[in-house]
Amino acid sequence: NAGVTQTPKFQVLKTGQSMTLQCAQDMNHNSMYWYRQDPGMGLRLIYYSASEGTTDKGEVPNGYNVSRLNKREFSLRLESAAPSQTSVYFCASNRGRTEAFFGQGTRLTVV
Amino acid sequence: AQSVTQLGSHVSVSEGALVLLRCNYSSSVPPYLFWYVQYPNQGLQLLLKYTTGATLVKGINGFEAEFKKSETSFHLTKPSAHMSDAAEYFCAVSERTGRRALTFGSGTRLQVQP
């Protein structure tokens, strides 16, 4: 039972490059989320998706786009990476309100 | 809007001592409350949660937390710290209606001294 799987685990980008972070869950959850974690700031919501085909902005959406391809997959795209997007990115999913399951994270460095 | 405040970004205790990590929230109605633990280079794991019912909730690894509505608090405790408890701990809340996303505190790094 894999839970929430994120790829890649590590990535280094140059400023201006683009990339897509992939996330897939095998728990048949409707809701999926992307968070970023920065030192001293906890996790902040970038985007979330309540169901397939729907997405909504979170607290820090600027510079990001998302796609909810199907019920399992929720990708996060950086069109033109900036050093301020250096962070650890977490994908999560839940079925109800009582527990979210997190992936192992993607550590992204933008130079 | 909800917010979560964790007092103390770093807490150090001796092995065998009481662990107390503080969490206060701000919300127009009592939210669902959570504590997550993060070990180095790993994702977040749920320790415990309060949704309804008994205000003292027990979680994994001997941790527990008490929801105090009057104090808008949800402090995490463990009677006796173990070396393996060294990690970062996050308090989080989610609304009972509407968006289901979590709002996190800034985290508390727990160090356990031998």
Side-chain angles (χ1 to χ4, degrees):
Chain A
N1 188 357
V4 179
T5 303
Q6 291 183 234
T7 55
K9 289 185 169 50
F10 302 92
Q11 184 71 49
V12 179
L13 289 178
K14 294 182 179 178
T15 298
Q17 287 185 318
S18 63
M19 80 162 293
T20 299
L21 282 63
Q22 306 288 352
C23 175
Q25 53 93 7
D26 61 2
M27 295 173 284
N28 202 36
H29 289 167
N30 288 321
S31 299
M32 296 186 73
Y33 311 84
W34 277 105
Y35 294 89
R36 61 176 288 173
Q37 182 181 21
D38 301 292
M41 302 187 75
L43 280 76
R44 292 179 292 168
L45 182 66
I46 305 171
Y47 269 93
Y48 89 108
S49 171
S51 62
E52 180 180 350
T54 68
T55 62
D56 200 359
K57 294 179 180 179
E59 183 184 355
V60 288
N62 291 343
Y64 306 96
N65 286 301
V66 291
S67 295
R68 184 72 182 271
L69 306 170
N70 48 55
K71 193 170 187 178
R72 291 187 64 250
E73 297 171 291
F74 188 37
S75 61
L76 179 72
R77 182 161 179 84
L78 287 70
E79 291 292 351
S80 179
S84 61
Q85 294 178 304
T86 293
S87 187
V88 182
Y89 292 85
F90 286 98
C91 178
S93 71
N94 67 22
R95 181 169 56 231
R97 299 181 187 281
T98 58
E99 182 174 359
F101 293 84
F102 286 81
Q104 294 296 295
T106 296
R107 190 173 297 271
L108 175 67
T109 301
V110 182
V111 298
Chain B
Q2 300 174 114
S3 66
V4 179
T5 302
Q6 291 184 239
L7 289 177
S9 58
H10 289 82
V11 170
S12 182
V13 301
S14 298
E15 192 172 19
L18 171 72
V19 175
L20 171 61
L21 305 183
R22 300 179 186 274
C23 173
N24 288 87
Y25 68 90
S26 173
S27 178
S28 55
V29 295
Y32 293 129
L33 296 154
F34 307 84
W35 275 99
Y36 282 85
V37 61
Q38 184 182 34
Y39 298 102
N41 299 315
Q42 295 192 23
L44 279 71
Q45 179 184 7
L46 181 68
L47 270 180
L48 50 77
K49 62 189 178 188
Y50 170 77
T51 57
T52 188
T55 56
L56 181 63
V57 294
K58 296 186 184 299
I60 62 172
N61 302 337
F63 285 93
E64 62 183 38
E66 185 171 13
F67 168 56
K68 293 188 176 181
K69 182 179 177 180
S70 61
E71 299 178 7
T72 60
S73 69
F74 191 55
H75 301 331
L76 181 71
T77 61
K78 182 174 180 178
S80 177
H82 192 273
M83 296 296 290
S84 61
D85 294 327
E88 189 154 22
Y89 293 80
F90 292 94
C91 182
V93 302
S94 72
E95 297 171 342
R96 291 179 178 262
T97 60
R99 179 182 295 191
R100 299 177 177 184
L102 293 163
T103 299
F104 285 87
S106 56
T108 298
R109 185 166 299 279
L110 176 66
Q111 188 175 21
V112 182
Q113 305 283 1

